[in-house]
Amino acid sequence: MTISRRHLLAAAAATTALPRATRAQGAWPAKPVRIVVPFAASGTTDILARAIAPELQRAFGQPFVVDNKPGAGGNTGAAEVAKAPNDGYTFLMGTVGTHAINPSLYPKMPYDHVRDFAPVTLVAGVPNVLVLNPATARKYGIRSVADLVKAARANPGRLNMASSGNGTSIHLAGELFKSLTGTFMLHLPYRGSGPALIDLMAGNVDLMFDNLPSALPHIKSGRLDALAVTSAQRSAALPDLPTVAEVGGQALAGYEASSWFGLLAPAGTPAEIVARVQQETAKALGTAAIKERLQAQGAIPSGMVPAEFARFIDAETRKWAAVVKASGAKVD
């Protein structure tokens, strides 16, 4: 049978018109896969991404490369993934900031946190921890949360607090603390927990509501003083450290501001690829080695399926919208 040139061109055009993800699906993964971390290296988002990347590489036989893209409270890296091809070669290690807080905190967002992403799995949840530079603690006589509130009220604007960026849970944990206690501390945003912790330990900033995994080594080494965790319950990693709500008095009785981290893909990524990545991530998080490693750092491994993760993000978005409104926090 003779095939006309017109038919050949039509067939070629039809193939070209297929979504890129559909054309690549059969061989996936045929090349390295990128996990974008929307914060600088050494923070909790980075720690978790680097914990699961080698496990996914072993499972799929291709490198899973962590790519740090910090900026704008995580929005820079998240927006890059939102615009990436939905072919299964780009994932985001999203956070409570990029996918629950920022939509209420920023008047203009460079992405739609629901429409532009396919949820894959919740990797882990972690409490934040209120830490101080030891010299600051000595200078103001701060040994407890109550002492901090007293010092901040007596010295409005003299104390400053670092964060991993505008709109992160670390930032908002501090804003909620300030709102409930009627205190003012200057907010100094960084491009991730790593740089913020360096300046905190150097004495260039006074305090921080950091994610527990990234702060824990410095608490144990004595380079930071820990006052309390921000979760509803104490952390198994620091069982003797109280919660803010326990020791913060009446003003902080209901205080809670924890963080979470999860994998997301660009919207339209084939469901088969999303399911495979979720399954292998959950399998890795369930191994004794990874589970013990993360729990020792204060993280609680998850691995929930995509539909459950989508419902979780929806609930968290509504929860944090109320917190943002109550705190009065805004980022222009």
Side-chain angles (χ1 to χ4, degrees):
M1 180 178 68
T2 303
I3 301 176
S4 70
R5 183 173 182 273
R6 182 177 65 185
H7 287 137
L8 286 172
L9 290 174
T15 302
T16 303
L18 286 173
R20 282 169 290 189
T22 302
R23 297 199 304 274
Q25 184 174 353
W28 188 90
K31 62 180 181 179
V33 178
R34 190 166 62 118
I35 301 177
V36 173
V37 169
F39 296 100
S42 301
T44 299
T45 320
D46 184 71
I47 290 170
L48 291 174
R50 294 182 189 278
I52 65 168
E55 304 302 316
L56 294 175
Q57 179 169 323
R58 274 190 283 273
F60 292 111
Q62 287 287 349
F64 276 68
V65 181
V66 175
D67 188 6
N68 297 87
K69 296 284 185 177
N75 284 352
T76 300
E80 181 172 319
V81 175
K83 297 176 177 65
N86 55 3
D87 55 7
Y89 290 97
T90 306
F91 290 85
L92 174 73
M93 181 60 80
T95 71
V96 62
T98 62
H99 279 76
I101 296 174
N102 290 4
S104 295
L105 195 67
Y106 286 79
K108 292 183 179 180
M109 289 283 288
Y111 57 88
D112 185 297
H113 76 296
V114 175
R115 187 183 63 239
D116 293 340
F117 292 90
V120 179
T121 188
L122 178 68
V123 174
V126 303
N128 293 333
V129 59
L130 173 53
V131 287
L132 278 79
N133 176 279
T136 296
R138 289 193 299 270
K139 178 180 178 180
Y140 291 96
I142 300 172
R143 296 181 179 178
S144 67
V145 172
D147 289 341
L148 173 60
V149 173
K150 181 179 178 180
R153 286 175 176 167
N155 302 276
R158 295 288 298 276
L159 291 168
N160 53 56
M161 61 176 199
S163 83
S164 55
N166 286 318
T168 60
S169 68
I170 294 171
H171 169 209
L172 204 59
E175 294 296 339
L176 181 60
F177 184 94
K178 287 160 46 178
S179 175
L180 293 175
T181 58
T183 55
F184 173 68
M185 295 178 284
L186 182 65
H187 172 226
L188 300 175
Y190 285 75
R191 292 171 66 87
S193 285
L197 285 168
I198 290 171
D199 264 11
L200 179 59
M201 289 184 287
N204 297 325
V205 289
D206 297 315
L207 60 99
M208 186 175 176
F209 291 78
D210 192 32
N211 299 146
L212 182 54
S214 48
L216 189 59
H218 310 299
I219 295 169
K220 290 185 173 181
S221 71
R223 299 185 70 186
L224 292 176
D225 288 351
L227 298 185
V229 291
T230 67
S231 48
Q233 291 84 33
R234 295 191 182 198
S235 170
L238 291 172
D240 295 330
L241 193 67
T243 69
V244 171
E246 276 184 75
V247 294
Q250 186 175 357
L252 293 165
Y255 182 93
E256 182 184 0
S258 297
S259 300
W260 53 261
F261 307 83
L263 284 174
L264 302 104
T269 299
E272 179 187 350
I273 292 176
V274 169
R276 290 175 64 192
V277 173
Q278 181 275 324
Q279 290 161 8
E280 292 298 337
T281 302
K283 188 185 299 183
L285 293 171
T287 62
I290 297 296
K291 186 183 292 186
E292 290 172 7
R293 174 181 168 188
L294 295 186
Q295 288 176 340
Q297 294 175 322
I300 303 169
S302 178
M304 60 178 57
V305 299
E308 186 182 3
F309 188 28
R311 291 191 294 270
F312 176 80
I313 290 172
D314 178 64
E316 284 287 290
T317 300
R318 287 184 274 108
K319 167 191 167 181
W320 283 101
V323 173
V324 169
K325 184 177 180 180
S327 71
K330 284 292 176 185
V331 177
D332 296 326

